[in-house]
Amino acid sequence: MPSFLNPQFLVETLGLIGVYGIVFAESGLFFGFFLPGDSLLFTAGLFASQGYIDIFLLLIGTTLCAIAGDSVGYAFGKRVGPALFSREDSFFFKKKHVESARVFYEKYGVKTIVFARFVPIVRTFAPIVAGVANMNYRTFLFYNIIGGFSWVWSMTLAGFFLGTLVPNIEKYLHYIIFGIIVLSFVPVVIEVIKARSHRE
């Protein structure tokens, strides 16, 4: 993993404000899909357990940023609309990611806004697809708040409590981050396998 995407490096270098910005970008800006959301929150929670970050400010700030990021993604999708699906691929944009989010949305409906929070890449594009699909904003916001709260608090507190309970856990942080990344992509792999089986 490049150092600039390493959650430990990001937390140590950018601090609390940096964590806020990354969570916001990964939650709804289409170019933020490559940012480390799950592992970053876990790592930030672990740092909070060691006293480097205030856990209250971390939880409240990242929750608000996650919700705000999704809302921006929704507004972008609603404004751009179907043109997004005909957009050419670039370094920051991959059409296949939007398509994955669309399939996810068709399968789970409005609940996608909650479920997608726990699926890398899909969580970035799900609010955009919701905007494209013209989901009622009040409905979107309701699920957005639930999803943002559930994702941020579960990931952050997992790191916080594990850091509190396990002595010198920072020695194993790289292994833990790797495990989180692998586990977070399991739903994506399952959906891809199901999609291929369905086509066949």
Side-chain angles (χ1 to χ4, degrees):
M1 178 187 293
S3 60
F4 66 90
L5 291 181
N6 184 299
Q8 183 176 356
F9 172 81
L10 291 172
V11 174
E12 291 177 338
T13 305
L14 302 178
L16 191 58
I17 300 301
V19 174
Y20 289 167
I22 292 171
V23 169
F24 175 83
E26 206 232 5
S27 292
L29 305 183
F30 70 83
F31 56 80
F33 68 89
F34 63 89
L35 295 171
D38 298 333
S39 52
L40 180 71
L41 289 173
F42 180 90
T43 303
L46 194 150
F47 270 68
S49 73
Q50 308 301 312
Y52 295 108
I53 296 176
D54 184 285
I55 186 62
F56 179 77
L57 293 178
L58 177 63
L59 288 169
I60 299 302
T62 47
T63 300
L64 292 175
C65 287
I67 293 170
D70 257 30
S71 293
V72 169
Y74 172 91
F76 176 78
K78 193 163 187 176
R79 181 169 184 175
V80 173
L84 189 65
F85 290 92
S86 59
R87 184 184 178 127
E88 294 299 320
D89 282 354
S90 65
F91 179 77
F92 289 111
F93 178 83
K94 301 295 180 185
K95 197 181 301 182
K96 65 181 181 181
H97 297 328
V98 182
E99 182 62 21
S100 295
R102 185 189 66 78
V103 171
F104 209 86
Y105 184 84
E106 286 187 353
K107 181 175 181 179
Y108 296 108
V110 294
K111 294 179 182 178
T112 296
I113 306 305
V114 176
F115 295 156
R117 284 288 189 180
F118 299 89
V119 184
I121 299 177
V122 173
R123 75 168 145 259
T124 303
F125 290 95
I128 297 174
V129 171
V132 172
N134 205 28
M135 179 192 290
N136 178 274
Y137 183 70
R138 288 187 178 182
T139 302
F140 169 82
L141 183 61
F142 174 76
Y143 286 99
N144 179 16
I145 292 172
I146 293 175
F149 182 88
S150 302
W151 177 55
V152 167
W153 285 62
S154 62
M155 294 296 168
T156 305
L157 290 179
F160 181 81
F161 288 120
L162 197 60
T164 303
L165 296 172
V166 181
N168 302 316
I169 192 173
E170 60 275 6
K171 294 181 179 179
Y172 313 102
L173 186 55
H174 288 88
Y175 300 105
I176 296 172
I177 290 174
F178 178 76
I180 292 172
I181 293 172
V182 171
L183 287 174
S184 65
F185 274 97
V186 168
V188 177
V189 174
I190 292 174
E191 289 300 322
V192 169
I193 293 173
K194 285 182 178 179
R196 287 182 178 176
S197 300
H198 182 70
R199 284 198 298 268
E200 293 174 357

